[in-house]
Amino acid sequence: MINIQKIRADFPILSQKVNGKSLVYFDNAATSQKPQVVIDAEANYYKEINANIHRGVHTLSQLATDAYERSRLKIQQHINAKFSHEVLFTSGTTHGINLVANGFSSFLKPGDEVMVSALEHHSNIVPWQMLCEKTGAKLVVIPMNEIGELILSEYERLLSEKTKIVTVNHISNALGTINPIKLMINKAHKVGAAVLIDGAQAVPHLKPDVQELNCDFYVFSGHKICGPTGTGILYGKEEWLNKLPPYQGGGEMIATVTFEKTTYAELPHKFEAGTPNIAGGIVLGTAIDYLNEIGFENIAAYEHELLEYGTKQLLEIEGLKIYGTSSQKTSVISFTVEGIHPYDIGTIIDKLGIAVRTGHHCAQPIMDFYQIPGTLRASFAFYNTKEEIDALVVAIKKAQQMLT
Ligand code: 7TS
């Protein structure tokens, strides 16, 4: 069970006024808010143990290194990776995807295929397009249907021994659809393709088990799970990370350097060149502890309640249409209101203290599919309430009156 009063008290920003009104924060798919324990942990790192890691004999460096590596172990446990060196710190989902896409340029040749889905965020499209341009491989797209689900019969038809990697999100950021990734991973493996799962929108709602999923790569951002911006994780199976070339060269990722030849460090350091976001990596562990204390089953059940309530209440507004109506959905509602541009509603409800995202949500192909310029997107977190949803409905009706 969620103790909503207690949880809301953990987030100082939620009691803030915006434009003179109580903040209603429904832009959680863009980034989550941070609880006090996370804010404190960030400050405490700099107050107490700030030092560079993996390189000093001195005490602070050792303390910082231990805390950073403890966080890696925590994340390994959280996603159930087999080895801690399969867990790489990145600056976010975008970084993780680019690292893998860049590495695949060593493996691909003209005629090979890279498969993405119609439901992807731009950061899981563009790096693969760049890879295809570089290697002559072909980008193949798994199509979607009207309710925002991937068409699995088409997926099976498109898979072949030419497919070298399939890259798909666990949950769509623009529509909230939960993709059947376990099944998709199995099918891809049958033709010998690797699979990368973009878990950016999944990890706020569920605890992924990378061994059970049997994915080759799983990426996510820390800032969407109550952690700091500029943090993220790339999980990769050991055999793949050993095969992939390093992404960036620099300090910390080497074993030996001479002007003739450099040899690379073991995993995970081979992919962690330079001084990382040390505080961020440590505090990401704090954020994961915080979420696990609440419990992902509790989070999912409560957010599902918000999704059902929000869907019902919003649909009572005349002319409101929801995009993404799969039965397998997280707490994201993307919608338009007939005759009014999403941006205009977004601007008016912002004046009433309500934060939603408007636009194409970095998923232009989905908007093109529906032939719309964009939507309003209300994305709920475990610290939101039904009363806030009521406030959203009132605000949209007010905007509707003003604009029609
Ligand atoms: N993949 C998905 C599915 C996402 O939702 C996002 C960010 C990214 C990748 C990129 O993550 P980043 O942390 O590297 O930027 N999604 C959103 C969003 O929906 N609104 O703002 C950011």
Side-chain angles (χ1 to χ4, degrees), residues 249-323:
E252 278 304 294
M253 53 74 74
I254 54 91
T256 59
V257 177
T258 66
F259 285 113
E260 287 69 40
K261 184 165 174 58
T262 289
T263 56
Y264 304 126
E266 296 289 308
L267 295 175
H269 307 295
K270 176 178 147 190
F271 293 103
E272 295 182 348
T275 301
N277 181 352
I278 303 168
I282 294 169
V283 177
L284 178 54
T286 311
I288 287 177
D289 281 344
Y290 175 79
L291 291 173
N292 278 319
E293 260 168 51
I294 296 171
F296 277 87
E297 280 181 16
N298 293 329
I299 289 173
Y302 181 71
E303 288 176 344
H304 188 71
E305 241 180 78
L306 292 180
L307 172 67
E308 293 212 315
Y309 183 77
T311 305
K312 186 166 165 290
Q313 298 305 313
L314 284 169
L315 282 175
E316 304 219 329
I317 298 174
E318 217 182 301
L320 187 142
K321 179 170 178 194
I322 293 179
Y323 294 86

Side-chain angles (χ1 to χ4, degrees), residues 15-83:
S15 48
Q16 194 169 267
K17 299 262 186 242
V18 170
N19 294 322
K21 310 280 181 200
S22 297
L23 169 66
V24 173
Y25 186 76
F26 282 159
D27 197 16
N28 294 288
T31 198
S32 67
Q33 295 303 346
K34 319 301 170 200
Q36 190 67 49
V37 278
V38 163
I39 300 166
D40 288 345
E42 185 91 16
N44 287 342
Y45 167 80
Y46 287 110
K47 276 196 242 168
E48 291 163 9
I49 60 168
N50 175 49
N52 214 327
I53 54 171
H54 298 140
R55 51 191 96 190
V57 291
H58 66 80
T59 304
L60 285 189
S61 174
Q62 203 52 55
L63 286 173
T65 304
D66 290 350
Y68 196 67
E69 291 306 321
R70 266 201 312 277
S71 182
R72 194 192 305 273
L73 291 172
K74 204 176 277 178
I75 294 158
Q76 175 202 354
Q77 209 174 35
H78 182 70
I79 63 173
N80 193 31
K82 193 165 175 193
F83 306 113

Side-chain angles (χ1 to χ4, degrees), residues 27 29-30 92-95 97 121 123 169 171 173 198 200-201 221 223-224 357 361 377:
D27 197 16
T93 306
T94 303
H95 176 185
I97 295 170
H121 185 280
S123 73
N169 59 42
I171 293 177
N173 71 310
D198 172 354
Q201 293 295 339
S221 300
H223 68 91
K224 294 190 200 280
R357 187 169 170 189
H361 316 296
R377 182 187 66 182

Side-chain angles (χ1 to χ4, degrees), residues 86-396:
E86 294 177 321
V87 175
L88 310 181
F89 284 108
T90 64
S91 66
T93 306
T94 303
H95 176 185
I97 295 170
N98 276 279
L99 188 158
V100 177
N102 192 73
F104 261 72
S105 64
S106 318
F107 308 145
L108 299 191
K109 56 181 189 319
D112 286 342
E113 292 181 354
V114 172
M115 199 178 285
V116 301
S117 97
L119 287 176
E120 299 312 307
H121 185 280
H122 295 164
S123 73
N124 203 24
I125 300 174
V126 183
W128 304 106
Q129 278 175 328
M130 290 161 70
L131 169 67
C132 288
E133 266 171 36
K134 200 147 77 177
T135 60
K138 185 175 160 207
L139 194 77
V140 175
V141 183
I142 311 162
M144 61 184 274
N145 65 19
E146 197 59 31
I147 63 170
E149 292 174 341
L150 295 177
I151 304 174
L152 293 179
S153 55
E154 282 298 298
Y155 173 54
E156 281 192 54
R157 196 180 62 75
L158 291 168
L159 277 174
S160 75
E161 72 284 356
K162 287 192 217 154
T163 319
K164 297 303 167 204
I165 185 161
V166 174
T167 177
V168 63
N169 59 42
H170 196 163
I171 293 177
S172 153
N173 71 310
L175 304 178
T177 313
I178 306 171
N179 289 312
I181 54 164
K182 176 111 206 267
L183 187 139
M184 295 180 76
I185 293 163
N186 281 339
K187 301 244 182 257
H189 284 166
K190 289 220 169 83
V191 299
V195 184
L196 180 143
I197 301 297
D198 172 354
Q201 293 295 339
V203 286
H205 310 291
L206 55 87
K207 201 170 142 148
D209 182 331
V210 293
Q211 289 192 76
E212 206 255 329
L213 288 169
N214 197 21
C215 52
D216 301 288
F217 303 99
Y218 194 101
V219 293
F220 61 91
S221 300
H223 68 91
K224 294 190 200 280
I225 49 170
C226 299
T229 52
T231 63
I233 295 295
L234 162 60
Y235 157 81
K237 272 189 193 157
E238 182 187 56
E239 53 175 301
W240 272 113
L241 294 181
N242 278 330
K243 265 192 279 188
L244 278 186
Y247 181 44
Q248 291 185 310
E252 278 304 294
M253 53 74 74
I254 54 91
T256 59
V257 177
T258 66
F259 285 113
E260 287 69 40
K261 184 165 174 58
T262 289
T263 56
Y264 304 126
E266 296 289 308
L267 295 175
H269 307 295
K270 176 178 147 190
F271 293 103
E272 295 182 348
T275 301
N277 181 352
I278 303 168
I282 294 169
V283 177
L284 178 54
T286 311
I288 287 177
D289 281 344
Y290 175 79
L291 291 173
N292 278 319
E293 260 168 51
I294 296 171
F296 277 87
E297 280 181 16
N298 293 329
I299 289 173
Y302 181 71
E303 288 176 344
H304 188 71
E305 241 180 78
L306 292 180
L307 172 67
E308 293 212 315
Y309 183 77
T311 305
K312 186 166 165 290
Q313 298 305 313
L314 284 169
L315 282 175
E316 304 219 329
I317 298 174
E318 217 182 301
L320 187 142
K321 179 170 178 194
I322 293 179
Y323 294 86
T325 49
S326 169
S327 61
Q328 302 301 305
K329 252 189 93 165
T330 45
S331 47
V332 169
I333 307 181
S334 231
F335 60 94
T336 54
V337 180
E338 202 178 353
I340 312 176
H341 197 281
Y343 179 81
D344 294 336
I345 296 186
T347 308
I348 290 178
I349 67 176
D350 173 56
K351 296 277 177 290
L352 302 168
I354 299 175
V356 296
R357 187 169 170 189
T358 64
H360 54 58
H361 316 296
C362 301
Q364 270 185 10
I366 299 180
M367 303 303 134
D368 291 346
F369 174 85
Y370 288 118
Q371 298 184 319
I372 51 175
T375 66
L376 289 128
R377 182 187 66 182
S379 48
F380 310 132
F382 59 91
Y383 43 72
N384 289 127
T385 64
K386 289 182 183 168
E387 291 71 30
E388 290 180 310
I389 292 173
D390 293 340
L392 172 67
V393 170
V394 170
I396 293 171

